[in-house]
Amino acid sequence: MRILLATVLVLVLSTGNSYAQCCAAGNPIAGDGTLVPEQGNLRLLINYQRSTSDTYFEGKAKSDFSYKNAYYDFLSVRTSYTLTEQLNITANVGYFIKKGEEFVNTGYQRHSKGFGDVDITAKYQVVKLKAWEVDPFFTLRIPVGQFDQVFENILLPIDLQPSAGSFRYNPGVAFYKTFSNKKVNAYASTSIEFAEAIQTDRTINFKYGNLYLMSVGANLKLTEKLGVNLEVRDQIRDKSINNGEAVKASGGNVLFVIPRINYSYKKWIINGGVELPAYKNLNTIGYPQLSNKFAWNIGVTRNFKLKQDLDTVKYLLNSKVTVEQYFVNGLCDMCKDKIEGVANSFKNVGVAQWDQGSHILVVAFKKEVDSEELMKRIAESGYDNECFIAELDAYDSLHSCCKYR
Amino acid sequence: MTLRNTKIGLIVLVLIACWSCEKATIVAEGDMFFPIIDSISVSKHIIEVGGADPSVMRVYATGGGLNFLWDVDLGDIIPQNADASIVTFYGSPCCIGEKFIKCTVTNKMGSVEEIVNITIE
């Protein structure tokens, strides 16, 4: 009974997004496991994913059936912007470099390429209690890519087309918790996807089955630059409907384990991960279904402080300013906010930016700035610099993740 | 006078007929004419799931400069020659049941299509 309850709890709290190759729809999801950016920040993620499928399943068991292998190479660009403290908008567009299959008996290969779909997500924070956050969201998936690609005089089947060919609607809710040491945060989300019938001039009347997604995961910061993420995602898909009848070899339940790693290099974060199907139950006894074997992805992420960067550029372009640089020790984003906060509020300072990698504080000003006094104020806030060493009580007052000594 | 009036009347009638008629479809141009599908041969109308028991289809069509396009809602059609006038249909496990396969034959004059059915068991 306890095992059943624990399993239900995991399934309820977990959301996932994965695709069996048979009759798969639109863009695969390849996230980086990170939270939404802070207000006024724009996050850019460019990701490449490779997936292969060469095994058929009936129910929970691997089948001896052999017919074709499938694969894809997919590139996506995702931008995420937090407009207000509560509202975040994310847009994701994908391109299939190649989406193909090979027939085992004959060796014949065919493929498609092109834009997939555009996904737009609006996420709104309704609850924020100390370290907890609850964000309902809604994703609209728009079939912008081609759905009628022809390969060697044959109209390619649905699961080989780059686009899903139908509008899909995905409401859900996400939960976040940040732990007191700030090195760990956990998340969970759940959502349901409803699809319209495919819009095409072809003589088909096809509708993808509903998709129920659940995932739970955690991020852990190992060092200043290195972090890991582990996510468990469960996907349950109803059978697709074609001409009013259920497509027998479709639908099922797949549980993925997704470990990821990320590394900060200057202003970029390099991330990579693998998707491993740990459990499958494709409810198609008697009708073998091709299922994911393995997928991996690699990507880069960059955060832009959009408003601040624009203000900085505007200041530097429109004024005759003096720019000075100072060494200031520190460690994390919180240090950056604090150091820049002290500097930006100092008399006559126009803009100030501290770089996490080089520990250099760049200060631009029109009228003369008392540099010694500025460094003294920064040391009083707890940060050693090229002029002063912070007193012990000032250093001790820093948050645990900021302890750079 | 009467013969002359009759001729003029006939000319006027022909001119009126030409103006009032809808523009006729051009059905031939040089060696090319509107495509005609004479037949589609199907080696088997019932096939088994998997790649070992395919059905071969061949379209016989005339018209000149023909382009062939095949389409099925669910299932796998593989071309067997360069212009895809001969194709093979495989019994994909995703699509058990009766399948309707459409062949569209096109040239500069127009297009014509025909549907054949094959059952996957």
Side-chain angles (χ1 to χ4, degrees):
Chain A
M1 187 63 177
R2 274 189 227 165
I3 294 170
L4 177 63
L5 281 172
T7 307
V8 168
L9 192 65
V10 166
L11 288 175
V12 165
L13 288 178
S14 57
T15 38
N17 204 343
S18 57
Y19 296 89
Q21 285 300 102
C22 180
C23 309
N27 298 354
I29 301 293
D32 60 354
T34 58
L35 307 180
V36 296
E38 292 178 1
Q39 184 185 352
N41 282 6
L42 176 76
R43 176 172 296 153
L44 175 69
L45 166 68
I46 302 169
N47 194 79
Y48 164 81
Q49 184 175 45
R50 164 80 183 189
S51 172
T52 57
S53 307
D54 64 2
T55 309
Y56 282 80
F57 270 74
E58 286 185 55
K60 300 177 191 176
K62 206 181 279 190
S63 169
D64 292 332
F65 186 80
S66 178
Y67 181 57
K68 56 183 174 182
N69 306 326
Y71 63 90
Y72 62 74
D73 297 291
F74 182 75
L75 187 69
S76 66
V77 176
R78 176 157 33 119
T79 55
S80 182
Y81 183 66
T82 304
L83 284 87
T84 70
E85 212 172 299
Q86 288 85 18
L87 181 63
N88 171 270
I89 304 289
T90 298
N92 183 65
V93 60
Y95 184 89
F96 283 96
I97 300 166
K98 203 172 188 181
K99 188 177 186 184
E101 58 189 21
E102 178 183 0
F103 288 80
V104 173
N105 271 14
T106 62
Y108 178 76
Q109 296 186 22
R110 59 186 181 181
H111 63 267
S112 67
K113 63 179 180 181
F115 283 100
D117 302 330
V118 168
D119 301 335
I120 299 175
T121 303
K123 186 178 278 188
Y124 192 83
Q125 181 192 95
V126 297
V127 173
K128 188 170 172 70
L129 300 167
K130 286 191 179 182
W132 278 95
E133 194 175 314
V134 180
D135 303 348
F137 62 86
F138 182 84
T139 300
L140 172 65
R141 303 197 199 277
I142 306 168
V144 299
Q146 248 187 312
F147 188 72
D148 53 1
Q149 277 200 15
V150 173
F151 186 85
E152 294 183 353
N153 295 65
I154 312 294
L155 262 165
L156 289 172
I158 292 170
D159 55 350
L160 261 191
Q161 296 289 345
S163 169
S166 80
F167 284 87
R168 286 158 294 144
Y169 312 98
N170 191 324
V173 61
F175 309 87
Y176 302 96
K177 175 169 171 56
T178 304
F179 291 85
S180 56
N181 62 11
K182 303 275 183 179
K183 287 190 178 178
V184 179
N185 61 67
Y187 59 92
S189 70
T190 185
S191 66
I192 304 173
E193 182 178 280
F194 306 97
E196 287 190 5
I198 288 175
Q199 311 291 321
T200 176
D201 291 334
R202 296 174 65 172
T203 51
I204 59 173
N205 182 9
F206 189 93
K207 186 171 171 299
Y208 301 105
N210 293 341
L211 182 64
Y212 309 90
L213 306 172
M214 295 161 285
S215 71
V216 59
N219 292 303
L220 170 66
K221 197 163 186 176
L222 296 173
T223 69
E224 184 188 334
K225 291 182 184 294
L226 185 67
V228 293
N229 166 271
L230 182 65
E231 182 174 314
V232 174
R233 295 201 301 211
D234 191 39
Q235 165 202 333
I236 300 171
R237 188 181 276 280
D238 289 339
K239 289 190 180 297
S240 302
I241 304 293
N242 184 42
N243 292 320
E245 287 187 14
V247 177
K248 291 185 171 62
S250 66
N253 183 3
V254 183
L255 185 79
F256 287 83
V257 173
I258 307 166
R260 297 191 189 93
I261 189 166
N262 57 76
Y263 181 78
S264 298
Y265 177 71
K266 295 188 178 177
K267 292 191 178 181
W268 293 88
I269 301 170
I270 302 160
N271 44 72
V274 294
E275 288 191 9
L276 305 165
Y279 170 82
K280 296 183 191 184
N281 185 358
L282 307 181
N283 52 348
T284 54
I285 301 294
Y287 305 100
Q289 191 179 163
L290 188 61
S291 179
N292 302 74
K293 179 182 180 180
F294 176 77
W296 61 269
N297 62 78
I298 186 164
V300 289
T301 305
R302 169 91 188 255
N303 285 323
F304 300 89
K305 279 199 173 178
L306 207 63
K307 189 175 179 311
Q308 182 174 326
D309 285 345
L310 288 173
D311 286 345
T312 302
V313 168
K314 190 179 168 184
Y315 181 84
L316 293 174
L317 285 176
N318 293 337
S319 319
K320 281 188 179 178
V321 299
T322 303
V323 179
E324 296 284 353
Q325 297 184 41
Y326 310 93
F327 177 85
V328 177
N329 212 343
L331 197 59
C332 63
D333 283 342
M334 281 178 68
C335 300
K336 180 177 169 66
D337 288 344
K338 203 164 177 186
I339 293 166
E340 288 178 358
V342 171
N344 278 313
S345 61
F346 195 78
K347 186 180 176 186
N348 292 340
V349 168
V351 290
Q353 288 191 352
W354 181 77
D355 183 74
Q356 245 172 297
S358 61
H359 294 181
I360 296 295
L361 173 69
V362 177
V363 178
F365 49 87
K366 286 190 266 187
K367 294 180 183 176
E368 194 173 339
V369 162
D370 186 342
S371 299
E372 194 175 322
E373 184 62 26
L374 173 60
M375 290 299 105
K376 190 177 173 186
R377 293 272 182 90
I378 289 175
E380 285 170 358
S381 70
Y383 293 96
D384 297 344
N385 53 69
E386 65 182 51
C387 297
F388 296 96
I389 300 294
E391 299 284 343
L392 193 58
D393 54 352
Y395 178 79
D396 284 345
S397 71
L398 294 177
H399 197 278
S400 57
C401 77
C402 301
K403 296 290 171 68
Y404 54 85
R405 284 181 185 168
Chain B
M1 192 69 163
T2 303
L3 184 59
R4 182 165 173 253
N5 287 344
T6 304
K7 283 184 184 175
I8 292 170
L10 279 171
I11 291 168
V12 168
L13 278 172
V14 167
L15 285 172
I16 289 169
C18 289
W19 277 106
S20 62
C21 282
E22 289 178 8
K23 191 177 174 180
T25 302
I26 299 173
V27 295
E29 192 175 283
D31 292 333
M32 195 178 292
F33 56 90
F34 197 91
I36 297 168
I37 295 178
D38 297 315
S39 65
I40 299 179
S41 68
V42 180
S43 66
K44 290 181 195 175
H45 281 281
I46 298 174
I47 60 174
E48 289 180 0
V49 165
D53 183 38
S55 176
V56 180
M57 296 176 285
R58 180 174 191 152
V59 58
Y60 297 88
T62 49
L66 297 177
N67 182 58
F68 302 92
L69 180 68
W70 297 83
D71 179 20
V72 66
D73 55 355
L74 294 171
D76 296 313
I77 305 171
I78 309 298
Q80 294 304 311
N81 58 353
D83 65 359
S85 58
I86 306 173
V87 297
T88 306
F89 182 69
Y90 287 92
S92 172
C94 79
C95 335
I96 306 291
E98 189 175 26
K99 300 287 115 191
F100 297 96
I101 300 144
K102 182 169 77 175
C103 178
T104 305
V105 180
T106 308
N107 65 11
K108 285 183 188 176
M109 300 293 121
S111 72
V112 64
E113 59 188 45
E114 191 164 310
I115 294 175
V116 295
N117 65 304
I118 294 177
T119 300
I120 303 172
E121 291 184 339

